Amino acid sequence: MLSFLPATMRGCIHCILLGLNTLVVFSLLVPISILKLIIPIDVWRTFCAVILKYIASGWVAVNAFNGRFINNIKWDVQGVDSLKSKDWYLVISNHQSWTDILVLQTIFSRRIPFLKFFLKKELIWVPVMGIAWWALDFPFMKRYSKAFLKKNPHLEGKDLETTQKACEKFKKMPVSIVNYVEGTRFTQEKHDRQNSPFKHLLKPKAGGIAFVMAAMGGQLHSLVNVTIAYPYGDKSFWDYLCGRIAKITVRVETLPIAEEVQGDYFKDELFRTRFQKWVNDLWVEKDALLDDLLSQEGKGPEAADTNEEPAAAAG
């Protein structure tokens, strides 16, 4: 462990290792991605997708190892034992900083399929990254604004139809789709501007989850409801790299995606009201849980009663 080094030095070392790991992985991803693109044979593309998945999973594993080697962060993770690597999941979480992404990748590594986000279709043209996202089968979506649909009513529903076609591959390939329900990272300024009724959360945006569930056409079997807390305040990505985050607390709840929360959110007003209430109820419970987890803040890092490695380390 390098926890004896000054925090800024650890942050620089961690950043360099993260960058090197990313460069190595990209150097492996890009040629296989190109081969997958230029050879339009289903069996070949499936084979490439499997190799790419293992490469990406290796990137996550190396990042997790580097984090344990450089810093002495205490992990308190509960609720991941029943998860399966060959199932279909919708993962939702509160969102406070970029650190959340590494937290999710670390605790779910080898426990559920590689985490993926719905991306705007235009992002496929981002140099290098666009190819990597396509190769890793990140689902690309096409969304029309209300203003655009008002001028072009004949295109209503086409955005969902296009995204559904892009998700056809997931009928045979287990997937974990991540959705940050708040739509953006929590800050006190955003909280106050929204006049959010929650103490630790922004208002949830039910439409995003509804779109993902509709696009996946019932393929998602379970909802993985994640609550992330940083009991001692530090939470930025740089704080994580420097090891200034003394403890990361995560609670995971797995819920079935019942029939009553599956329907036409965009056309059925009654269902939309029911769906919004379901999401809001989840947020009420999450806010109360965060309040409980963050009550540990007053104890100070020295009072932490757990020194568990993140769940992914068990692999």
Side-chain angles (χ1 to χ4, degrees):
M1 287 219 182
L2 301 180
S3 55
F4 62 90
L5 293 174
T8 301
M9 185 178 295
R10 278 181 279 149
C12 291
I13 293 172
H14 205 165
C15 190
I16 291 170
L17 291 177
L18 177 61
L20 289 174
N21 184 29
T22 302
L23 285 174
V24 170
V25 168
F26 271 6
S27 70
L28 296 173
L29 282 178
V30 171
I32 299 175
S33 304
I34 294 173
L35 288 174
K36 180 185 176 186
L37 176 64
I38 64 177
I39 304 177
I41 301 175
D42 288 342
V43 175
W44 170 253
R45 287 187 166 177
T46 300
F47 174 72
C48 289
V50 172
I51 294 176
L52 291 164
K53 179 189 71 172
Y54 281 112
I55 292 173
S57 297
W59 178 77
V60 171
V62 171
N63 288 338
F65 172 82
N66 289 339
R68 296 193 304 274
F69 179 70
I70 296 170
N71 296 315
N72 186 28
I73 297 175
K74 298 179 185 294
W75 290 78
D76 178 7
V77 182
Q78 296 180 18
V80 297
D81 293 337
S82 63
L83 298 172
K84 302 175 182 178
S85 61
K86 295 184 178 180
D87 209 338
W88 285 255
Y89 295 105
L90 171 59
V91 180
I92 64 172
S93 173
N94 58 312
H95 191 22
Q96 301 161 80
S97 81
W98 287 359
T99 306
D100 302 334
I101 298 174
L102 286 180
V103 170
L104 292 178
Q105 289 176 335
T106 300
I107 67 169
F108 290 134
S109 177
R110 302 173 188 167
R111 290 187 177 274
I112 63 178
F114 186 77
L115 298 175
K116 297 173 183 178
F117 297 83
F118 266 56
L119 301 172
K120 293 180 180 179
K121 199 174 182 69
E122 293 76 14
L123 291 178
I124 198 170
W125 302 112
V126 174
V128 182
M129 289 298 297
I131 295 177
W133 288 326
W134 174 83
L136 290 170
D137 290 318
F138 275 60
F140 287 91
M141 63 179 182
K142 186 171 186 178
R143 295 295 304 271
Y144 295 127
S145 67
K146 290 182 179 179
F148 181 83
L149 288 175
K150 191 173 182 179
K151 295 179 180 178
N152 302 274
H154 63 286
L155 293 177
E156 185 174 356
K158 289 293 183 180
D159 51 354
L160 180 58
E161 183 181 324
T162 300
T163 306
Q164 285 175 331
K165 289 180 179 178
C167 294
E168 283 290 319
K169 63 177 75 71
F170 298 128
K171 289 184 177 180
K172 296 181 180 179
M173 181 189 303
V175 67
S176 300
I177 301 294
V178 181
N179 184 275
Y180 287 116
V181 182
E182 294 159 292
T184 183
R185 287 171 289 174
F186 177 97
T187 66
Q188 192 59 49
E189 181 187 354
K190 294 174 184 175
H191 180 274
D192 295 343
R193 189 166 62 245
Q194 282 189 353
N195 193 24
S196 174
F198 306 102
K199 185 176 180 181
H200 305 288
L201 300 166
L202 301 178
K203 293 179 180 179
K205 297 183 177 181
I209 304 181
F211 185 86
V212 170
M213 292 174 65
M216 293 297 293
Q219 297 171 44
L220 298 169
H221 299 163
S222 301
L223 176 76
V224 179
N225 183 17
V226 184
T227 303
I228 303 174
Y230 304 95
Y232 309 123
D234 294 330
K235 64 189 71 171
S236 75
F237 186 59
W238 181 243
D239 287 326
Y240 173 80
L241 294 177
C242 293
R244 295 193 184 106
I245 298 178
K247 182 179 180 181
I248 298 175
T249 303
V250 187
R251 296 293 178 264
V252 179
E253 179 186 26
T254 305
L255 303 168
I257 297 179
E259 289 186 8
E260 54 264 30
V261 295
Q262 299 184 51
D264 194 336
Y265 180 88
F266 305 99
K267 295 182 179 179
D268 187 335
E269 187 174 345
L270 289 177
F271 173 76
R272 182 164 59 251
T273 301
R274 187 168 70 247
F275 191 88
Q276 289 172 342
K277 182 181 183 304
W278 174 68
V279 173
N280 193 71
D281 288 345
L282 289 175
W283 239 234
V284 169
E285 295 175 5
K286 185 181 293 293
D287 199 47
L289 176 57
L290 273 169
D291 204 42
D292 181 54
L293 296 175
L294 292 171
S295 67
Q296 302 174 56
E297 186 173 359
K299 299 178 182 178
E302 68 280 355
D305 58 0
T306 179
N307 190 24
E308 298 176 5
E309 294 290 352

